[in-house]
């Protein structure tokens, strides 16, 4: 028999930390992540089964289609979107600026006035139409701003021929000879403007990066994702969100705090799941589909916002098109004019809060400022998280604000909407039978 020391070392202990200690340097938590996914699926499966047993099958795709096909000659939201022809011709700088301001102002005012006065426009139709006009507002602002920069550079170049100037544009064809480089004022065409209007970006430039070809398989995958996820969103809203919201009205009316919190937490799960699915549907599937159709090369519609350790990092990375517009046309111009960073950031949140409220209150035809206050609450929250929390604690604070904050706003608006319409029904005189 061989000595035991020949088979087993005499030293079986070395200096080392436990794996779950932060000082161990261990970072492979894939198994724990899979466990979290499994637990999440099982817990949501139980909730979904409980919902089916309690309410039955509420999903009705025909009901959604009937909203659009009920009266094909009276679609105020669609009619509001269709038909804005850009002006062409040569006008003075002052006249152009006045017409530009009037055009931008009219887009926000006339669209909101139509949504408020036309009784046949539904809240969903109002959100879509006002969203389209908000996007067009931001695009035309960027279009005018960028061409103004080009005009100023061109005028400066004419005055100082000894210096070399170039218009702020990026010419990247990615190997495709079909997309030629253009210079100001050669870009001032209807074709160029309409490409920018439909392109998945809010920031204009003379030469966008273009992909060499349209990938049909990629396009088909994105289309199937859009169709499937849209049906999934509608089904989750009908089956999960609507019953939960309806059951939340009584505790809010009676101001039963414990039941209000219970309803809020119950609504947080489906609301957050729907938000995540909507994020993927819009920022990945839909914007990539449009970009592929137009051979638009810049596909950075979002960054790793899920790793955000601060609130400001989240808002700067979850919606890249809006972030780039705010940075280019709002935040940096204020810094160049001497505004300090904190006031400039607060102004950006203020503008974002206005548009959030605009897209919610006008379609619902009531003004409660819940969305506005929710956005402005991000300013002190961002300061608190950035000052006192970091790393995983900051990331957890970001997730909590997302999961809990949105259901609060949803319940506030739905409650007020329900009270207004419920009172109008209760206060109406009874009809004679």
């Amino acid at each position: 028999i061989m000595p035991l020391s020949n088979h087993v070392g005499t030293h079986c202990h070395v200096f080392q930390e436990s794996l779950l200690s932060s000082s161990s340097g261990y970072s492979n938590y894939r198994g724990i992540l899979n466990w979290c996914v499994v637990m999440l699926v099982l817990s949501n499966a139980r909730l979904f089964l409980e919902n089916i047993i309690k309410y039955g099958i509420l999903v009705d795709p025909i009901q959604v289609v009937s909203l659009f096909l009920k009266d094909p000659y009276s679609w105020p939201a669609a009619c509001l979107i269709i038909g804005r022809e850009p002006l062409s011709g040569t006008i003075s700088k002052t006249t152009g600026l006045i017409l530009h301001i009037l055009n931008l102002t009219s887009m926000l005012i006339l669209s909101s006035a139509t949504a408020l006065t036309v009784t046949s426009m539904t809240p969903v139709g109002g959100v879509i139409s006002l969203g389209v006009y908000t996007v067009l507002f931001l695009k035309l602002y960027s279009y005018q701003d960028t061409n103004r920069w080009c005009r100023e550079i061109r005028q400066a170049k004419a005055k100082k021929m000894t210096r070399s100037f170039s218009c702020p544009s990026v010419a990247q064809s990615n190997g495709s000879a079909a997309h030629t480089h253009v210079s100001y004022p050669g870009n001032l065409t209807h074709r160029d403007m309409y490409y920018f209007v439909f392109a998945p970006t809010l920031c204009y430039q003379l030469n966008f990066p273009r992909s060499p070809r349209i990938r049909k398989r990629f396009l088909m995958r994105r289309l199937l994702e859009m169709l499937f996820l849209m049906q999934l969103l509608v089904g989750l809203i009908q089956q999960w969100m609507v019953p939960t919201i309806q059951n939340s009205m009584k505790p809010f009316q009676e101001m039963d705090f414990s039941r209000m919190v219970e309803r809020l937490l119950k609504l947080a799960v489906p609301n957050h799941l729907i938000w995540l699915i909507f994020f993927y549907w819009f920022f990945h599937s839909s914007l990539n589909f449009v970009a592929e159709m137009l051979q638009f090369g810049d596909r950075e519609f979002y960054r790793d916002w899920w790793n955000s350790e601060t609130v400001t990092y989240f808002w700067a990375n979850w919606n890249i098109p809006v972030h780039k517009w705010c940075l280019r046309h709002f935040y940096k111009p204020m810094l160049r004019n001497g505004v300090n960073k904190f006031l400039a950031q607060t102004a950006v949140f203020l503008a974002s809060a206005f548009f959030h409220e605009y897209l919610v209150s006008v379609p619902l035809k009531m003004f409660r400022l819940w969305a506005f206050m929710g956005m402005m609450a991000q300013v002190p929250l961002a300061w608190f998280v950035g000052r006192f929390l970091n790393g995983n604690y900051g990331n957890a604070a970001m997730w909590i604000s997302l999961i809990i904050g949105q259901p609060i706003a949803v319940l506030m608006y739905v409650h007020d909407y329900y009270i207004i319409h419920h009172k109008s029904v209760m206060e109406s005189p009874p009809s004679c039978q």
Side-chain angles (χ1 to χ4, degrees), residues 251-308:
F252 271 80
Q253 288 178 344
E254 298 175 351
M255 296 304 294
D256 188 343
F257 183 75
S258 59
R259 291 198 63 198
M260 287 168 56
V261 173
E262 185 268 335
R263 291 287 111 179
L264 176 65
L265 295 177
K266 188 173 183 178
L267 182 64
V269 175
N271 179 85
H272 188 63
L273 181 60
I274 289 171
W275 183 84
L276 290 175
I277 295 174
F278 173 80
F279 168 83
Y280 187 90
W281 173 81
F282 183 77
F283 287 97
H284 187 77
S285 301
S286 301
L287 293 186
N288 267 296
F289 178 83
V290 175
E292 194 68 25
M293 287 285 291
L294 298 177
Q295 294 179 258
F296 187 81
D298 186 3
R299 308 294 176 87
E300 191 185 39
F301 306 121
Y302 55 90
R303 298 192 188 110
D304 61 334
W305 57 265
W306 46 87
N307 292 326
S308 302

Side-chain angles (χ1 to χ4, degrees), residues 167-183:
C167 189
S169 62
V170 180
Q172 299 179 23
S173 60
N174 290 345
S176 176
H179 310 303
T180 57
H181 174 78
V182 297
S183 301

